Amino acid sequence: MKYTLSLILVSLLVSCTYSPEMIYQWRGENRGGMYPESNLLASWPAGGPSEIWMIDSLGRGYGSPVFVEDLFFITGEIDSLALLHCFNLAGQKQWQVSLGKEWVTSFPGSRSAPTIVGDLIYIGTGMGDLYCLNKADGSKVWSREFRADFEGIYPLHGHSEAAVVHGEKVFWNPGGEAFNVVALDRFTGELIWSHPGLGERSAYNPGQVIELPQRSIYVTFSAYHLLGFDAESGELLWTQEQDNTTPDERKLGIGDTHANSVLYADGFIFYAAGDGNGGVCLSLSEDGTEITESWRNKNFDSFMGGIVKMGNYLYGSSTVTQYFRSVDASSGAHLDSLKIGHGAVIAADNRLYYYNQRGEVKLIHTEEGKLKELSSFKITKGTGHHFSHPVIYRGVLYQRRGHALMAYDIRSPLP
């Protein structure tokens, strides 16, 4: 009896002190684009903050770096091969591994960011293949093939997704009529569940997990619908159609690009789908089984630049126009805008960091939804499109452009 009681006490102690492993992923915690940095520069010199170093050997690609302690991981494509690089914070390469064929037709290059949990890295290619690698050296633990294993269907510009890890599962969206969305054992790659969804191709969407007291919900987009799955069972709980494109108009590349993760806060789901319904707020029932649309703002229509929520305000780029916008999260009402072009936004230290598709990096002050540009500089190094999302880590701003990654010191000087 004494021995049994001791075991019970030990079990209770372990259960009370256990915490899930940290997930390092695209756009930071909860994929919200909010970086926990402080004491950053309130303005930049005319030429921009000081460049610490540049790496110019990544290969073609759009994926942002993901940081884990004193290392970061970033993808690239060289000679049609998908690569994952590991660097230290000084920009020195630690290792590099080839993942097979990469997407080299429309917008050639890598398009995903890795997800790292514990000693394992989860990374996909533009060909839709998913890999689990050892963080120490990039050696392969397992892999799954998009076509052979899941009968996946490619969207027009290749598969683009940042793997979602939740507990023992990793989620992937092959699209198609059989394995539309799958949950795999993240340690072995074995199939846990699959769902045919609505039979549509995938939508370049980096999914999201919403955790509620009663259940966890995996939320993602297919070509013309927002989908919510019970993360444990794979049951499709609800959908919302992207009704801006009629069924007769729908074809490959038309109305099927929904590349922003949803945000969740206080019972509400927020998203911006520039190729869909625009900005939308959905009320989620307490048990997670129902959604109700609260508001819709067709002009809050970020295409692939992400959105951030600071306080009761949402910020994101427009797609139809050249404006960067802010809206009230409660009502969806437009509050302010800056005509600074399409781009990608993140936030840190109560300011916004915006990288537009002209290559300009802008520092923006916000106050109750009002916007004021503080500083700006232009990215001239690197190649190709200015699509990659910025990242801030330990007081350094990282910006990718094609084969190059630049690191800029944005820390305030010590007093």
Side-chain angles (χ1 to χ4, degrees):
M1 180 66 181
K2 182 178 180 181
Y3 177 70
T4 303
L5 182 60
S6 297
L7 281 179
I8 292 173
L9 290 172
V10 169
S11 297
L12 286 172
L13 180 63
V14 170
S15 65
C16 290
T17 57
Y18 172 77
S19 59
E21 287 187 280
M22 180 70 73
I23 299 175
Y24 301 90
Q25 60 187 331
W26 184 72
R27 289 181 62 82
E29 185 177 1
N30 297 320
R31 305 196 162 188
M34 299 284 292
Y35 291 88
E37 304 288 322
S38 59
N39 298 317
L40 303 180
L41 290 171
S43 63
W44 300 329
S50 174
E51 182 181 294
I52 302 171
W53 51 251
M54 179 189 74
I55 298 167
D56 63 359
S57 58
L58 300 177
R60 294 184 293 186
Y62 306 98
S64 301
V66 174
F67 290 80
V68 183
E69 297 175 348
D70 295 327
L71 300 172
F72 68 88
F73 304 85
I74 189 168
T75 58
E77 172 268 317
I78 297 176
D79 296 331
S80 300
L81 293 177
L83 304 174
L84 180 66
H85 309 275
C86 173
F87 291 89
N88 65 21
L89 299 187
Q92 300 166 330
K93 185 173 289 189
Q94 306 301 291
W95 52 258
Q96 172 185 304
V97 63
S98 173
L99 303 174
K101 188 178 179 182
E102 186 51 277
W103 189 264
V104 292
T105 53
S106 55
F107 298 97
S110 66
R111 41 253 287 133
S112 296
T115 301
I116 301 103
V117 185
D119 295 327
L120 299 176
I121 301 173
Y122 302 89
I123 182 64
T125 70
M127 304 304 295
D129 300 330
L130 178 62
Y131 293 81
C132 174
L133 309 174
N134 280 306
K135 186 179 74 173
D137 58 7
S139 59
K140 187 171 75 172
V141 178
W142 57 261
S143 65
R144 299 300 299 266
E145 295 185 20
F146 188 69
R147 282 276 177 83
D149 294 332
F150 302 127
E151 303 171 20
I153 297 177
Y154 290 114
L156 180 62
H157 303 299
H159 194 266
S160 179
E161 187 178 342
V164 175
V165 171
H166 180 70
E168 80 284 6
K169 300 181 186 68
V170 55
F171 299 99
W172 203 236
N173 302 346
E177 297 182 357
F179 302 95
N180 195 272
V181 174
V182 300
L184 308 177
D185 185 306
R186 74 178 186 90
F187 300 104
T188 67
E190 295 299 313
L191 183 66
I192 296 176
W193 59 254
S194 68
H195 197 286
L198 300 179
E200 299 173 343
R201 59 189 170 273
S202 60
Y204 314 94
N205 190 252
Q208 178 72 284
V209 171
I210 296 172
E211 296 193 46
L212 301 176
Q214 291 181 255
R215 60 168 46 85
S216 297
I217 306 171
Y218 175 60
V219 182
T220 189
F221 278 91
S222 59
Y224 300 104
H225 288 84
L226 179 71
L227 310 171
F229 297 89
D230 185 293
E232 185 63 28
S233 68
E235 176 188 0
L236 181 58
L237 300 171
W238 42 260
T239 69
Q240 188 193 44
E241 186 175 12
Q242 302 303 292
D243 54 24
N244 64 309
T245 305
T246 66
D248 291 341
E249 296 173 313
R250 294 173 183 175
K251 61 181 180 180
L252 189 65
I254 302 298
D256 59 0
T257 302
H258 314 301
N260 296 322
S261 291
V262 305
L263 303 181
Y264 175 76
D266 303 320
F268 294 94
I269 297 171
F270 302 93
Y271 71 79
D275 212 11
N277 292 339
V280 175
C281 173
L282 303 171
S283 175
L284 182 65
S285 64
E286 287 188 16
D287 65 358
T289 60
E290 296 180 353
I291 54 171
T292 305
E293 186 171 312
S294 297
W295 56 256
R296 184 183 298 199
N297 182 334
K298 67 178 183 179
N299 295 316
F300 191 66
D301 58 344
S302 172
F303 192 70
M304 60 181 183
I307 59 175
V308 297
K309 183 176 185 293
M310 295 175 63
N312 198 45
Y313 307 100
L314 295 168
Y315 303 93
S317 168
S318 178
T319 294
V320 175
T321 68
Q322 292 287 323
Y323 287 98
F324 178 75
R325 300 184 184 275
S326 65
V327 301
D328 186 298
S330 297
S331 66
H334 172 77
L335 296 173
D336 202 3
S337 61
L338 295 173
K339 195 171 184 180
I340 54 176
H342 311 306
V345 62
I346 62 170
D349 203 14
N350 297 311
R351 286 178 286 270
L352 300 173
Y353 294 76
Y354 190 64
Y355 179 50
N356 69 24
Q357 293 179 16
R358 299 192 292 261
E360 297 162 339
V361 184
K362 296 182 178 292
L363 183 64
I364 300 171
H365 172 74
T366 71
E367 185 173 356
E368 297 184 350
K370 297 300 181 181
L371 303 169
K372 179 182 179 182
E373 182 177 326
L374 300 173
S375 298
S376 179
F377 73 100
K378 189 162 186 176
I379 300 290
T380 58
K381 298 177 180 178
T383 55
H385 300 281
H386 299 277
F387 288 166
S388 299
H389 290 218
V391 176
I392 298 174
Y393 186 69
R394 295 187 182 177
V396 178
L397 172 67
Y398 296 87
Q399 185 60 62
R400 180 186 193 155
R401 182 189 178 201
H403 67 258
L405 178 70
M406 285 67 69
Y408 300 96
D409 188 350
I410 58 171
R411 291 166 287 195
S412 293
L414 294 174

